[in-house]
Amino acid sequence: MEREQWASKLGFILAAVGSAVGLGNIWRFSYLAGDSGGAAFLIIYVACILLIGLPVLMAEFSVGRKGQSDAIQSYHNSGAGGFWSLGGFLGVLSAFLILSFYGVIAGWIVYFLYSYLTGAAQSVEEGGVGDFFGGFISGTAGPIFWQFLFMAIVIAIVFFGIKKGIEIANKIFMPLLALILVLLAIYSLTLDGAGEAMNFLFAPDWSAFGNFDVYAAAVGQAFFTLSLGMGAMITYASYLGKEEKLSSAAGTIVTFDTLFAIIAGIVIFPIVFTFGIDPSAGPGLIFVSLPEVFNLMGGAGTFVAILFFFLVAVAALTSAISLLEVNVAFLMRKLKWNRKTATLVAGIVVTLFGVPSALSQGGPVTFTIFDNSFLDAIDLLTAEYTLLLGGMITSLFVGWRWKKIDALRETGFGESIFGILWLWFVRVIAPAWILILLIINFYNDFLA
Ligand code: PFF
C-alpha cells in the first residue's frame, strides 16, 4: 500500500504548527512564566527555543523526511541500529504517555467551555471557582466523560487520514485560532492592568537570571511546546516529499509557536493584573484565576470566556491529533494494520490508560508515585526525562551518526554558515545542555 503524503507543503506546515501550538502555549507557558518572573523567563525561554529547540526540530524533521516511516522505522531507515533505535522507541512511548493525560486536561477545558455555554460557570459565586473546579476534577464520571468526549473527536479526525483528516482540520482551525487569539489580545490591552502586565512580561527582573531552576523549566518548556522528543515532528515530516526544503518550514513553525505563546501572555496577564490575581498561582491559573475574573466582567466576560476556552480546546485538539498519529503510524507499519483499525485500537488503549490520571485529582485513584498523583507522575516522567532523552538521542544521531554531508543536505543548509552552526548545535551544544538538565532534574526529584 502506498504511504500517505500531505497534499501541500502549507498543509504540512499548518499541521506542524497545530501540533506545536497547544495547552503548552497557553496553560503551561502562562503558569511557568507567571511563576518564574515573567520577562526573565521569557528571555531565557526564547533563547532555549532558538539554541536548542530549533536545531533539534531540524534534526527531527531530517530523520522523518529521510526515513519516510513512523518514528521507530525512520531511525532504522536512516541508519540507526542498536542504541540509536532507543530514540524512536522513546518517542512512541512518550507520545502514548503524554496523550493519556493530555486528553484528561483537555477534557477539563471542554467542560469549562460547556459550563460557560450553559451558564453554569457564570453562576458560581465570587471566590467559588476553586471549589467548582476542585469538585469537578475530583469526581468520577465527570472527568472521564469529558476526557472520552475529547478523545473521541481526536480519534475521529485521525481516522480519516493525513489529507482528509489531519490536514483539513488544521487548515480550518489554525487560522481561526490566530484570529481569536488576536481579538482576545486586543481586548486585554484595553484593560487597566495592561501596562503592569507589559512590564511583567517584557521588563526583566535581572535577579531571576541567577536561578538555575528557571533554565531547567525553560528547556523543558521549549521541548514540550515544540512537540519535540515525542516522535511527532518525525512522523509529520515523514509524510513530506523529498524535495521540500526543511529549514524554512522549521523557522516558520518556531516563529508561530513562539508568537502564539507571547500573545497568549498578552491575553492572560493584563487580566491577571487588572483583577489583582497572583501571577504565580501555578497550574490552576487558567482554570481558577481566569474564570473568577471572567465572572466579574459581566456579559463581556461570558463572551471572552467562551472564546478563550474554545481557543484552548481547539489548540489542544490539533496537538492531541499529532500525538495519536505517532502511535497510529507505528501500529500501521509494525502490525500491517490499516489506518482505521490502528486508529481505533491506539485511540481506545491510550484513552483507557488515561483513566487513572482522570481519577487521580481527588477522585478514587489515591495511590501516589514518589509523592505525585498518577497524572503528575506521568507528566513529570515525560517532561523531565523521556522527552529530553529522546531529543538528545536524535540530535546526537543526526550530528554524529550521519555523514556530515548527508546531514547538511537533508536540512537544506548545505555548507553555509547556518549549516556549520547548526551542526555544532546538534553535535555538542544541545546535547550538553540537555544532559545538564537531566542531571538537575534527577537531583531535584530524587536527591535534594
Ligand atoms: N506542543 C504541544 C503543546 O504545546 O501543547 C504539546 C505536544 C503535542 C507535545 C504533541 C508533543 C506532541 F507530540
Side-chain angles (χ1 to χ4, degrees), residues 19-20 22-25 102 224-225 227 230 232 319 322-323:
S19 170
L23 293 173
N25 301 60
Y102 204 84
F224 190 88
T225 193
S227 305
M230 286 165 260
S319 297
S322 71
L323 286 166

Side-chain angles (χ1 to χ4, degrees), residues 261-419:
I262 295 175
I263 303 178
I266 298 180
V267 172
I268 292 169
F269 288 106
I271 302 180
V272 165
F273 284 101
T274 304
F275 291 88
I277 302 170
D278 177 8
S280 60
L285 190 65
I286 75 164
F287 288 108
V288 178
S289 310
L290 279 186
E292 282 292 350
V293 170
F294 293 147
N295 291 353
L296 290 176
M297 298 190 320
T302 299
F303 189 64
V304 172
I306 290 172
L307 278 184
F308 180 80
F309 284 110
F310 178 76
L311 169 85
V312 185
V314 175
L317 179 65
T318 52
S319 297
I321 288 172
S322 71
L323 286 166
L324 183 58
E325 180 60 22
V326 172
N327 285 278
V328 168
F330 167 69
L331 290 177
M332 285 172 68
R333 192 261 314 161
K334 182 82 185 172
L335 302 177
K336 303 212 165 45
W337 286 353
N338 63 30
R339 168 167 291 275
K340 296 189 164 48
T341 312
T343 308
L344 286 177
V345 173
I348 291 172
V349 172
V350 76
T351 305
L352 292 179
F353 189 78
V355 168
S357 283
L359 299 181
S360 71
Q361 302 299 299
V365 171
T366 49
F367 66 89
T368 56
I369 303 171
F370 290 105
D371 288 337
N372 292 297
S373 72
F374 192 80
L375 189 158
D376 293 334
I378 305 265
D379 183 8
L380 290 179
L381 170 69
T382 48
E384 295 190 351
Y385 299 101
T386 61
L387 291 190
L388 296 175
L389 210 54
M392 182 164 94
I393 294 176
T394 311
S395 59
L396 289 172
F397 174 60
V398 172
W400 296 103
R401 178 71 177 73
W402 283 15
K403 286 204 194 75
K404 179 176 154 190
I405 180 156
D406 285 344
L408 291 174
R409 181 163 14 87
E410 276 302 320
T411 55
F413 283 137
E415 297 269 355
S416 68
I417 174 81
F418 290 117

